[in-house]
Amino acid sequence: MASGTSHLMTQRQSSVFDELVQIDEFFAQLQKPSNLDSIRTKAGEFCKRNEHLKIALITSGGTTVPMELNTVRFVDNFSAGTRGSASTEYLLQTGQYAVIFLYRSKSLEPYSRHFSPDELLNQLQWEPETDDITVSSSFKPKLREILKHKKETEDRLLKITFTTLSEYLFTLRELTLVLNEFGSNTMLYLAAAVSDFYIPPENMAIHKIQSSEPLRLHFELVPKVLRPLVKFWVPDAFVISFKLETDENILLSKARKALTKYGHKLVIANELNTRKDKVTLVTETDSEVIKVDSQLNNVEIEKFIVENVVQRHQDFITQVEAETSTH
Ligand code: PMT
């Protein structure tokens, strides 16, 4: 019996070890960004300054997958960063959270997302006689409200950018080293659309691929980092992943499968074309639909998603505290 148990333990330990080695090997062949130390320092200081609050990491936007080492071309995806940037605003407005917003460079950002540079310019007038610049009075109420929210929350927002898949993965891993200290007070809200395929640097062309003949590319699978993230990097945090499909018939079953596979708390399932009007929050035991008519009522579904997940995170913290006090 004793030797059977110890044999089992050894097997388990070795499979955990194998998993860690595999993920390390995967990271080792990627191009490591040079700014990780400064990101970690910044994030550490930010979290310390806000340790009286709950901390959220919100990821947002798509990742690029380079085709050449000296990159001219890359493969990208559709994500505009609406989900992540809007959710960041609503979460900050609860007053309960400090937010690290990890977003794809040039995708939407909190507050500035409300207007394009052109829209903003069209609302400004230059008066040649006085050399003054004025804002259209019809635009002022909207602008005032956004500036007010921005000012009220700027100390609680840290923005960090990525562009490529490897920048995203390395930065995410680095940030979890900081966040892990805050245990169940941390929420990860993984709304970024992360590529599942990549070309390993050793298989990549060094220079611009020439267009002398048709091109065939081979992509390898990116391991889902959700697994090490939940299991090893931030095992005590409240982790929310998103599941995107274009076929509604497989969406919920894939979301449930993700929960079983990765062992986190909540998957928010959405279908590409209806994602602004409908999401389903899937847990191990149930599912809850949030529906809005974004066109008709000028509402954003992120407001309701955030209200819902804030409550779930609080319930999670309460449960963890209750369990800790009985041990
Ligand atoms: O930005 P918008 O235009 O507003 O769109 C929002 C959104 C549709 C992108 C967002 O709501 C969403 O669904 N994001 C997740 C999209 C996605 O990557 O789904 P997936 O099924 O491919 O991945 C599921 C989860 O695995 C994601 O939480 C992702 O963070 C994670 N993942 C993905 C790839 C990878 N290699 N490792 C991962 O851990």
Side-chain angles (χ1 to χ4, degrees):
M1 174 83 178
S3 75
T5 311
S6 79
H7 177 63
L8 196 70
M9 286 292 289
T10 316
Q11 268 184 343
R12 258 195 220 135
Q13 280 165 347
S14 81
S15 84
V16 167
F17 181 73
D18 286 350
E19 240 184 291
L20 282 168
V21 169
Q22 271 168 23
I23 198 78
D24 273 355
E25 281 173 358
F26 170 72
F27 271 89
Q29 37 105 37
L30 297 178
Q31 271 179 318
K32 188 175 174 173
S34 57
N35 59 348
L36 288 180
D37 285 346
S38 95
I39 287 177
R40 193 167 162 189
T41 308
K42 250 193 233 159
E45 288 167 0
F46 175 78
C47 291
K48 218 81 248 96
R49 259 201 328 274
N50 288 292
E51 65 186 348
H52 56 293
L53 296 167
K54 289 176 264 193
I55 311 273
L57 169 66
I58 295 188
T59 68
S60 184
T63 56
T64 64
V65 173
M67 286 167 53
E68 300 120 340
L69 285 174
N70 289 291
T71 309
V72 174
R73 304 186 189 88
F74 50 83
V75 177
D76 204 348
N77 66 49
F78 71 96
S79 171
T82 309
R83 179 79 85 226
S85 57
S87 302
T88 298
E89 281 182 26
Y90 290 115
L91 198 60
L92 285 168
Q93 283 165 29
T94 66
Q96 301 174 35
Y97 285 83
V99 179
I100 300 178
F101 179 62
L102 176 59
Y103 71 106
R104 158 74 181 277
S105 174
K106 300 193 181 79
S107 69
L108 293 174
E109 296 176 43
Y111 305 116
S112 64
R113 75 186 175 97
H114 293 279
F115 18 73
S116 70
D118 224 37
E119 271 173 296
L120 190 59
L121 273 183
N122 289 337
Q123 300 296 336
L124 303 176
Q125 293 90 35
W126 170 60
E127 316 286 351
E129 291 82 36
T130 56
D131 203 23
D132 266 355
I133 292 170
T134 55
V135 181
S136 311
S137 43
S138 59
F139 186 60
K140 275 187 182 167
K142 183 178 174 190
L143 189 59
R144 195 173 282 123
E145 197 185 328
I146 291 167
L147 289 174
K148 178 175 171 278
H149 281 142
K150 181 174 182 295
K151 192 160 180 55
E152 282 167 358
T153 58
E154 61 196 359
D155 292 344
R156 291 184 282 118
L157 174 62
L158 176 66
K159 297 196 281 187
I160 298 173
T161 58
F162 63 85
T163 300
T164 63
L165 172 72
S166 53
E167 283 167 3
Y168 170 82
L169 294 174
F170 271 107
T171 311
L172 176 67
R173 187 174 70 167
E174 202 68 22
L175 289 172
T176 61
L177 294 173
V178 174
L179 294 171
N180 192 32
E181 256 188 63
F182 300 87
S184 61
N185 267 338
T186 310
M187 174 163 88
L188 276 80
Y189 185 96
L190 304 171
V194 182
S195 178
D196 284 316
F197 306 101
Y198 79 120
I199 304 174
E202 80 249 25
N203 299 351
M204 234 188 267
I206 296 172
H207 294 292
K208 182 185 171 197
I209 299 170
Q210 295 302 302
S211 53
S212 42
E213 51 186 80
L215 180 63
R216 219 176 262 271
L217 288 173
H218 177 80
F219 291 84
E220 297 286 344
L221 260 184
V222 178
K224 288 276 185 192
V225 293
L226 252 180
R227 185 160 169 86
L229 179 137
V230 173
K231 205 165 170 186
F232 305 118
W233 303 347
V234 276
D236 302 321
F238 187 69
V239 177
I240 304 167
S241 74
F242 282 73
K243 183 81 220 150
L244 174 79
E245 290 297 340
T246 53
D247 177 356
E248 193 143 19
N249 295 321
I250 60 168
L251 182 59
L252 293 188
S253 64
K254 297 279 289 224
R256 287 206 183 87
K257 233 183 237 165
L259 282 175
T260 327
K261 214 161 159 190
Y262 308 125
H264 58 306
K265 302 295 168 232
L266 180 66
V267 175
I268 302 184
N270 48 186
E271 188 270 318
L272 181 68
N273 295 312
T274 59
R275 68 189 192 276
K276 290 180 195 257
D277 294 304
K278 183 182 171 194
V279 296
T280 308
L281 284 74
V282 183
T283 67
E284 257 201 323
T285 50
D286 57 25
S287 64
E288 185 177 347
V289 175
I290 298 179
K291 246 178 164 174
V292 298
D293 189 337
S294 57
Q295 297 292 324
L296 201 67
N297 304 322
N298 199 20
V299 287
E300 291 184 307
I301 196 166
E302 287 79 11
K303 180 177 190 295
F304 303 98
I305 301 177
V306 164
E307 273 173 20
N308 192 305
V309 300
V310 164
Q311 187 56 54
R312 286 174 191 263
H313 184 202
Q314 189 50 51
D315 293 347
F316 171 74
I317 294 170
T318 309
Q319 189 193 336
V320 170
E321 283 171 356
E323 280 167 12
T324 326
S325 70
T326 55
H327 282 120

